[in-house]
Each structure stands twice: as C-alpha cells, then as structure tokens.
Amino acid sequence: MGTKTAAILLTACLLLSACTANKPESAATGTSQTPAASDTSTNAKELKTVSSETINHNQTNRDDLNSAGKTTAQQNKPVVDSSKTGESATVVATDKTYHLDKAYNVVPNQKEAEKKVILLTFDDGPKEASMINKIIDTLDKHKAKAIFFVNGYRVKEHPELLKLIHDRGQPIGNHSWDHIVLKNKPEAEVKKQIETVQKIVKDTTGQAPVFFRPPHGAGGDVGRKVAKENGLLYMTWSVGSLDWTMKKSQLNKTEAILKNVTEQLHPGSNILMHELPWTAESLDSLLTRLEQKGYQFVDPRSIEVPAS
C-alpha cells in the first residue's frame, strides 16, 4: 500500500471515530428508556409486591378499625334484662347513683355525683299519641328521660299508647287504676288499684313499673305498704308545675309554667307535670331554661328502688 493510500485510509478512520463519539444524547436516552426483558420482569415483581403490601396494609387498617369499633360497642353495650322484658328488651341501669329523700328530692349516693339534677315526671296518661310524641321528641332533643305515671283504665282503653312510651325508651310508673284518693281506702282495694296496673303494664310492655305515685299525692300508710310489697318506689313530688290548674282559655301558659317551676327550683327537684297540650308546648322552653340555670336531668333508672 502506497503512502498516499495509507494516509487516505487513516483520515477516513479518524472521521468515522469522531462521528460515533458525537452521537446525539437524545438517541442514547431513547434507547435506554426501553428496558430489557429481565428488567421488565423485575419491575413487575416489585410492583406486585408493593401492591400486595398496600392491600394488606389497608386490610389491616380495616381490621383494626372493625376491632376498635367492636371493642367500643362492647364497652358501651347497655345491660339488658331480657328475662323481665320479653321480646322488647329494655335497658336496666346497674349503677344506682341516686336515691329519694323523705321530701322526694333526688339525692346523690356519692360525694362526687352531680348534685344539681332534676327528675322529670308526667302524670295521668297515656292520653294522645300526638301529645306523647311531642313530649318525647322534646325529651330526646334535650337528652332527657322522664317517668310517665299512667292510670290503668287509660292503658286498658289505649294499650298502644303505653307501648309507644315504652318503645321510645321512657320509663313508666304506676299511678293507680282509677286515679282515686287511696289513703282512706281498705288495703284490699288499694292492692287492687296498684297491682292491676302492675299487671297490665307488664302484659303490655313486658316490664312492670318500679315507681309509684299515688293520685293527688295521697297514698297513706297502706299505699306505702302495698307499693313496697310490689317492689315499687313510693313518691309524690317536690316541685309542682301547676299545669293542672290552668284553663284552656288562659294566656301565657308557658310563662306561667316556667314561673311556677323556677320559683320552687332547687338541686334534686322532683318536678310534677301532666300529659296536657300546654305542657307539651311549654316543655322545650322549660328544659332550655333549666339547662341555662346549670341543671342536668337525672335518668330515673339511676335511682334506687326497693328490692323486689
């Protein structure tokens, strides 16, 4: 090979080498963006592993949440005595925080228990579904419970109204069969007045009352005796709303009820009201006023009753 030919070949090789070295970066990058088959397989496995871990983690969270929910529900589960209530089981309070004193006020059993409490009660029902629902709607709004003291003859006429009170979670009390003054009646008659109500309420709701209020607040010694024999807590009241003294034509019944109650109000007040339309209308204003004064509404199920 001549010197000239060798020089030409050498020049060509140098040019070819320079072209290869100056290959565009974008082209090189484009080639590297397409992974090899082994790399694709590896990425797929990694993705599958991550997805599996995420699913397992989410499932664990759901299981933890469900477990926590079950634990909370079990801790907050109310005590239910189905043996006494039949198909419609009723919550039975196990912590008796209060008792009634001789003046029928609600008194704490422990120093740390709330003293500024009120017991709400309604007598002489059951009368009308609309009125009962209005009263209980208001009680529910204020997270309150009340004792509904019923007469046997009314229950006999409208057992569905008694069941309405019971099904809406309000305690039922015994107010005698005929709403008569009991204190001067023979023991046999008093027993009949009280015990027939015990039976009809239990037959209707599955649960016998544990509270007794004599009509007109007049049960006498015989009334107390029969009540105790039937496992009933005897009570009258310590604050009267005087709603029963009002006439349909009277104006400002709400203000009158508020005035009557607040003027007598004290810690442990046992407030007497009735199933009356103006009482139902006034109840929200009354409970709001009592709350503004710092009072709480005691659950009747937290009050001690005689051992049966």
Side-chain angles (χ1 to χ4, degrees), residues 195-267:
E195 292 177 358
T196 49
V197 175
Q198 290 296 95
K199 183 178 187 306
I200 196 171
V201 172
K202 185 171 184 179
D203 289 347
T204 305
T205 67
Q207 186 175 13
V210 294
F211 304 105
F212 172 69
R213 173 174 284 161
H216 313 286
D221 292 339
V222 66
R224 295 173 187 276
K225 176 178 180 292
V226 175
K228 186 176 182 180
E229 290 172 350
N230 283 272
L232 289 159
L233 177 62
Y234 181 103
M235 71 171 79
T236 60
W237 58 89
S238 61
V239 172
S241 66
L242 302 181
D243 58 355
W244 66 94
T245 67
M246 298 173 189
K247 298 178 181 180
K248 292 182 180 180
S249 59
Q250 181 178 337
L251 300 176
N252 299 322
K253 294 186 184 71
T254 295
E255 285 305 316
I257 289 174
L258 265 62
K259 182 176 183 292
N260 292 336
V261 171
T262 54
E263 285 183 348
Q264 306 170 67
L265 197 60
H266 56 272

Side-chain angles (χ1 to χ4, degrees), residues 4-20:
K4 187 176 181 179
T5 303
I8 293 170
L9 289 173
L10 179 60
T11 300
C13 289
L14 290 171
L15 289 171
L16 180 61
S17 176
C19 289
T20 304

